[in-house]
Amino acid sequence: MWTRLANIILKYRISLMIVLGVITIYMGYQAQYIQWSYDMANIVPEDDPDQEYFRQFKQTFGEDGNILALGFKDSAIYQSDNFKKMKYLTRELESINGVKDVLGLANLKMLEKNNEKKRFELVPVFPEIPEDQAKLDTMLAFARNLKFYSGQLINAENGATLILVTVAKEALNSEYRHTMVADIVRAGDQFHDATGIDVNYAGLPYVRSVNTLKIKEELNRFLVYSVIITGLILFGFFRSLKAVVFPLIIIGMIVVWVLGTISLLEYKITLLTGLIPSIIVVIGIPNSVYMLNKYHHEFSTHGDQMKALTKIIKNIGIVTFITNFTTAVGFFVLVFTGIPILVEFGIVAGINIMCTFIVSTIMIPSVFSLFKPPTSRHLKHLDFKMLNGALVGLDVLVHNHRKLIFITTGILVAVSVYGVMQLQSNSYMVDDLPEESPLAKQLKFFEENFSGVMPLEVIVDTGTKKGVQSLNNLRKINEFEMFLDSLEGISQPVSVVSFIKASRQAFYNQDPAFYSIPNNRESAFILRYLKEESDEGGIAKSFVDSTGQFIRISLKMPDIGSNKMDSLVNTVISPKIDEIFADGKMDVRITGTVPLFIKGNKYLIDNLITSMIFAFFIIAVIMALLFKNFKMIVISMIPNMIPLLLTGAIMGFFGIPLKPSTALIFSIAFGISVDDSIHFLAKYRQELHAHNFFVPIAVSRSLRETGASMIYTSIILFFGFVIFTLSEFGGTVALGKLTSITLLFAMLTNLIVLPALLLQFDSGKRNKEDHPYIDDFAKADYDSEDEETEQDKNT
């Protein structure tokens, strides 16, 4: 089959290259329609009960993560001139397209008792900004006594204050969000230029906008870096521009195919799918390395260019197909997670890795058949003394020191198992930004002064329509809110109870001592404001549903990581809910972005572990089909499991948590690392047939020839993934750092442990009753070499 395929490719090489070119042009045309995702990554399945409840919450009360905050901490802001400028800033923010509402100290409103109309009305606290500083100070002191805003807009201890910008839903998940955020930042910068007062920005709309722009910038940069690094390494190996340019052209074609695939499947660019072009550059180049190395090795042996090119397809084709398939499996198994962002990543990457095999198998022999044969300068890498010396050293090591190898490996495995046991799971909503990054510093400002900006929501179902008007219900909710307010690191709760307490304070002429739930005598009048039209800002509507049955309690908290969030929500808040609402008349549920993040993190890691098991099983099945020998399956899998254990141990010992980005590493790295085992074992079986099934010679010759390609490709993979450590995102850094380390370990285990295992446990003899595919292939190839030798003799 592969001989026929080699003849077809070389015979119709021009036509095939034209076809590939046309496909690339078509994919490039489709790529222009590609779109970026502006939605927050949805990890919890759509049919999950908590997800469905959160969706209902948003339909009733609106988005919980649509607040962008501007923070100030400078006493100069309370000077009359600067305070006026802050009021101008709030007006400018209100005029920005996509902004729904703006709330700050300068445009603060309060409830005021209207004795004539017998209702409360919202009136501005600062209708005008006085020139007289003393008068302004008096008004500011009055504003600070409005308990409703304490801890929300004003930090009473240090004077820090906020402007809260509510983003319209249609702008939140659209490309226009960047323009809107840029306009908000520009307005803040103008305020800073005019006053000298620093402005800090936070909130999910701001974080997501900044991160998306950084992701775009990084993805373009990483693609350039990966091309430069692989190009330099290729030139260093082969000393030929052709050996650099054409593999990179092949990879460039696949990058275009990746973008076209995303567009055709109607996916959007996310943080993960955006990494695929750079990953394809790194993963796809080894195909060319193995093929070019085989081409040069064959040509140096017999000097026949066409014969050497034919041997590329015959000898390397099937092995490359299998290795690309196992690599693709590492991505395809992500489909089993059921998580859209990972499913899309796995499908696009898996499809295009297989496309890389097709394009490489056609292009490398076809292109190089059109050029002159390699010269002695191009073949120098075959006699690279340092590399050959290293391979000779490895050969001596595996033959003469197997006991040392097994003892060392056993110790490393034992230590690794202990290290893996120390591994913990934890992740952050804003994925562990570097402490020195501007965004991290700004988030820290809000966490230190206003308990953070991450939304947490509690919904109280009173059980009856107009249950919000029951004083008993309100008192229980108030008891719960007082408990929440006592928790360190959580903002003061905001709910309709807060407004009712504020209305009582307003009823008693804004005396802060009366900020509390009204008694039975007062309630008839004070609760009336809920029925009136005085709520011009829709405040009550944001916290009570239209039936008066469901009440929303809104809080903010810092990004403390999934472990602490989980502990806070499930071991502190939830038990208190059970205690306060034990009579069962009211149903209380925690929802919002924070608890969905906690659940999504657990769900994601559990499913990534499942996908890793699937990858292991599928690749084991492939090995079984290749060898039909349980002992060989175990021998081939051990060198690829050890690197995963070592990486897990490093994470455990150095406190690197298991999170979505790090859990993703294992299935991907496993799929890639198995490639080296397959290349080595394919060559090993060929050498067994060539040398009368004498294992020591077969191991030595396989190590000398395939070892060079394994080292070349491992170096490319290592440096290719290392570039991701230049990212500003902790998840991407972890992906690059740990994947490169894992692949480096895999190279060493496949060059040392695998040959040692073969020498120790493989007799080399073939069971005549079994016909493993890899032996049939190896024997057929060996027989074809014999036939060619006989033909040469006859001529």
Side-chain angles (χ1 to χ4, degrees):
M1 170 187 169
W2 289 95
T3 301
R4 193 182 313 118
L5 182 63
N7 293 332
I8 291 172
I9 289 173
L10 290 173
K11 182 177 180 180
Y12 300 104
R13 55 187 180 274
I14 302 296
S15 300
L16 290 172
M17 286 191 289
I18 291 172
V19 170
L20 293 178
V22 170
I23 294 174
T24 304
I25 292 170
Y26 173 74
M27 287 297 197
Y29 172 77
Q30 290 296 327
Q32 67 179 317
Y33 301 112
I34 205 165
Q35 296 181 0
W36 279 82
S37 173
Y38 298 98
D39 299 325
M40 198 162 185
N42 185 18
I43 297 174
V44 180
E46 289 295 328
D47 58 354
D48 181 86
D50 290 331
Q51 182 71 269
E52 290 178 350
Y53 189 82
F54 184 45
R55 195 158 49 245
Q56 292 172 6
F57 161 83
K58 289 193 288 186
Q59 290 173 355
T60 304
F61 297 106
E63 296 285 340
D64 71 328
N66 63 338
I67 301 294
L68 191 153
L70 287 73
F72 313 85
K73 188 181 178 182
D74 192 327
S75 59
I77 202 168
Y78 299 111
Q79 295 172 5
S80 178
D81 187 51
N82 290 334
F83 201 74
K84 281 183 182 178
K85 289 172 181 172
M86 186 166 73
K87 189 159 188 174
Y88 297 149
L89 172 61
T90 59
R91 289 174 181 169
E92 186 174 353
L93 292 172
E94 288 172 339
S95 68
I96 294 173
N97 190 18
V99 171
K100 183 180 179 182
D101 189 31
V102 178
L103 178 62
L105 189 56
N107 71 340
L108 204 61
K109 290 184 179 182
M110 64 178 178
L111 289 171
E112 186 177 81
K113 180 175 60 175
N114 187 323
N115 290 323
E116 182 181 344
K117 296 182 179 180
K118 301 296 183 183
R119 72 176 191 177
F120 292 110
E121 295 177 341
L122 282 171
V123 297
V125 177
F126 300 94
E128 291 183 1
I129 309 300
E131 296 287 348
D132 188 294
Q133 186 64 43
K135 189 174 182 181
L136 176 60
D137 290 342
T138 302
M139 296 176 74
L140 287 168
F142 175 79
R144 292 189 186 99
N145 282 328
L146 298 174
K147 292 293 187 180
F148 174 77
Y149 296 109
S150 179
Q152 299 290 342
L153 291 178
I154 311 164
N155 185 318
E157 295 180 0
N158 58 28
T161 185
L162 295 178
I163 294 178
L164 301 177
V165 179
T166 304
V167 178
K169 183 179 180 180
E170 55 270 18
L172 191 63
N173 296 321
S174 68
E175 187 174 4
Y176 180 72
R177 182 181 65 204
H178 299 311
T179 303
M180 179 198 63
V181 170
D183 288 341
I184 292 172
V185 172
R186 183 166 54 253
D189 290 345
Q190 289 172 351
F191 174 81
H192 168 73
D193 294 339
T195 63
I197 296 171
D198 291 335
V199 184
N200 295 279
Y201 306 92
L204 289 181
Y206 176 73
V207 171
R208 288 164 59 190
S209 179
V210 171
N211 282 353
T212 301
L213 292 174
K214 285 185 179 295
I215 289 167
K216 283 185 177 182
E217 178 187 324
E218 284 193 355
L219 298 184
N220 292 329
R221 190 168 70 246
F222 289 156
L223 184 57
V224 173
Y225 288 167
S226 60
V227 169
I228 292 173
I229 288 174
T230 52
L232 289 173
I233 294 173
L234 282 173
F235 185 77
F237 289 160
F238 296 109
R239 302 291 178 178
S240 168
L241 286 177
K242 292 196 295 288
V244 174
V245 172
F246 291 106
L248 290 180
I249 287 175
I250 291 170
I251 293 304
M253 293 170 64
I254 299 300
V255 167
V256 174
W257 288 27
V258 167
L259 299 176
T261 304
I262 294 173
S263 178
L264 286 171
L265 294 176
E266 297 183 353
Y267 296 158
K268 294 181 179 180
I269 294 286
T270 63
L271 176 59
L272 282 179
T273 52
L275 289 175
I276 295 175
S278 300
I279 291 175
I280 285 290
V281 171
V282 176
I283 293 177
I285 286 294
N287 287 347
S288 300
V289 172
Y290 276 108
M291 288 182 175
L292 288 174
N293 201 49
K294 181 65 176 177
Y295 171 46
H296 288 174
H297 188 273
E298 286 293 330
F299 184 79
S300 68
T301 302
H302 48 67
D304 187 329
Q305 183 184 20
M306 294 306 292
K307 180 179 177 182
L309 292 170
T310 302
K311 294 281 281 186
I312 290 178
I313 304 169
K314 288 172 58 180
N315 286 25
I316 301 296
I318 180 61
V319 180
T320 305
F321 171 77
I322 296 169
T323 56
N324 278 256
F325 184 72
T326 56
T327 301
V329 164
F331 290 91
F332 276 133
V333 292
L334 298 176
V335 173
F336 295 110
T337 64
I339 300 169
I341 190 173
L342 289 180
V343 170
E344 293 174 9
F345 177 68
I347 289 174
V348 174
I351 288 173
N352 285 281
I353 285 169
M354 294 311 299
C355 289
T356 304
F357 159 74
I358 295 171
V359 175
S360 299
T361 304
I362 293 173
M363 290 291 289
I364 289 293
S366 299
V367 167
F368 282 87
S369 70
L370 303 176
F371 291 96
K372 293 180 180 179
T375 64
S376 57
R377 176 172 63 86
H378 300 146
L379 302 177
K380 277 186 178 180
H381 68 92
L382 297 175
D383 297 316
F384 185 26
K385 292 183 180 179
M386 185 179 296
L387 178 61
N388 289 337
L391 292 173
V392 169
L394 290 173
D395 193 21
V396 172
L397 178 66
V398 299
H399 278 84
N400 300 333
H401 303 284
R402 290 200 299 279
K403 186 179 290 186
L404 175 63
I405 292 172
F406 295 144
I407 291 173
T408 304
T409 302
I411 293 171
L412 287 174
V413 168
V415 172
S416 297
V417 170
Y418 176 76
V420 169
M421 293 171 65
Q422 313 305 310
L423 194 58
Q424 294 185 342
S425 169
N426 193 30
S427 62
Y428 291 82
M429 293 185 71
V430 180
D431 195 12
D432 43 359
L433 293 166
E435 291 186 8
E436 66 277 6
S437 71
L439 185 55
K441 290 178 180 177
Q442 294 188 84
L443 287 172
K444 191 174 182 180
F445 168 87
F446 289 91
E447 290 177 356
E448 290 176 347
N449 295 285
F450 295 98
S451 302
V453 292
M454 300 303 166
L456 178 65
E457 305 287 346
V458 180
I459 301 299
V460 179
D461 179 0
T462 62
T464 59
K465 291 184 178 181
K466 298 183 180 180
V468 68
Q469 297 180 24
S470 166
L471 273 182
N472 288 332
N473 290 344
L474 294 176
R475 286 178 183 135
K476 279 198 172 186
I477 295 170
N478 184 55
E479 181 186 353
F480 177 56
E481 288 189 5
M482 290 176 68
F483 163 75
L484 293 174
D485 194 25
S486 70
L487 297 176
E488 186 178 353
I490 292 185
S491 70
Q492 176 183 310
V494 179
S495 72
V496 71
V497 173
S498 312
F499 293 107
I500 292 171
K501 286 157 63 173
S503 69
R504 185 170 188 261
Q505 181 180 354
F507 184 73
Y508 288 101
N509 300 315
Q510 304 300 351
D511 185 341
F514 289 91
Y515 183 76
S516 61
I517 292 290
N519 57 37
N520 292 330
R521 179 178 55 82
E522 299 163 332
S523 63
F525 179 81
I526 292 176
L527 295 182
R528 186 183 302 171
Y529 91 97
L530 289 173
K531 304 176 184 178
E532 301 294 339
E533 297 299 326
S534 58
D535 184 18
E536 297 172 0
I539 296 173
K541 294 177 183 176
S542 298
F543 291 91
V544 182
D545 80 317
S546 59
T547 67
Q549 178 174 333
F550 294 91
I551 298 172
R552 170 189 182 185
I553 304 172
S554 185
L555 307 103
K556 296 289 186 290
M557 64 183 297
D559 189 8
I560 54 178
S562 58
N563 283 349
K564 290 182 179 178
M565 286 182 182
D566 189 19
S567 177
L568 179 66
V569 171
N570 294 313
T571 66
V572 178
I573 298 177
S574 292
K576 195 66 176 180
I577 290 174
D578 295 336
E579 177 187 328
I580 294 174
F581 302 95
D583 57 15
K585 293 180 180 179
M586 289 190 284
D587 180 53
V588 181
R589 290 188 64 171
I590 299 172
T591 188
T593 302
V594 168
L596 262 292
F597 167 75
I598 294 170
K599 184 166 189 175
N601 185 65
K602 290 180 178 178
Y603 183 85
L604 183 56
I605 290 174
D606 289 346
N607 279 274
L608 284 172
I609 292 172
T610 302
S611 71
M612 175 63 208
I613 295 170
F614 270 116
F616 180 84
F617 175 76
I618 293 170
I619 291 172
V621 169
I622 293 171
M623 293 298 187
L625 292 173
L626 287 174
F627 296 105
K628 292 187 178 180
N629 184 310
F630 180 75
K631 183 168 62 178
M632 285 300 296
I633 295 170
V634 173
I635 288 174
S636 65
M637 298 298 276
I638 286 175
N640 298 293
M641 294 301 296
I642 294 171
L644 303 182
L645 277 175
L646 290 170
T647 301
I650 289 173
M651 292 170 62
F653 287 130
F654 288 93
I656 301 172
L658 187 67
K659 54 186 177 180
S661 54
T662 52
L664 188 66
I665 292 163
F666 293 97
S667 61
I668 294 175
F670 183 65
I672 297 172
S673 65
V674 168
D675 294 356
D676 281 344
S677 297
I678 293 173
H679 275 289
F680 187 92
L681 291 171
K683 182 62 180 174
Y684 168 69
R685 303 304 278 187
Q686 290 177 19
E687 295 298 336
L688 280 177
H689 283 277
H691 296 90
N692 199 27
F693 297 94
F694 189 55
V695 172
I697 291 181
V699 167
S700 294
R701 289 183 64 87
S702 301
L703 196 57
R704 299 287 180 90
E705 182 177 332
T706 310
S709 295
M710 291 165 65
I711 291 173
Y712 290 166
T713 56
S714 295
I715 290 172
I716 291 172
L717 289 167
F718 177 82
F719 285 104
F721 278 100
V722 159
I723 63 172
F724 294 126
T725 61
L726 301 175
S727 172
E728 289 188 38
F729 299 97
T732 309
V733 171
L735 177 68
K737 187 186 299 181
L738 295 174
T739 304
S740 59
I741 289 173
T742 307
L743 294 175
L744 185 62
F745 287 151
M747 177 193 75
L748 294 174
T749 54
N750 278 297
L751 285 173
I752 299 172
V753 178
L754 178 58
L757 289 171
L758 291 171
L759 287 167
Q760 186 69 31
F761 298 106
D762 187 29
S763 65
K765 300 300 181 182
R766 174 180 149 191
N767 189 338
K768 293 181 180 180
E769 296 180 1
D770 292 328
H771 298 284
Y773 183 75
I774 197 165
D775 268 14
D776 289 343
F777 163 71
K779 187 176 183 300
D781 181 72
Y782 173 60
D783 291 343
S784 68
E785 286 184 358
D786 285 345
E787 290 172 7
E788 288 168 357
T789 303
E790 288 299 323
Q791 289 174 0
D792 291 341
K793 286 180 180 179
N794 293 334
T795 55

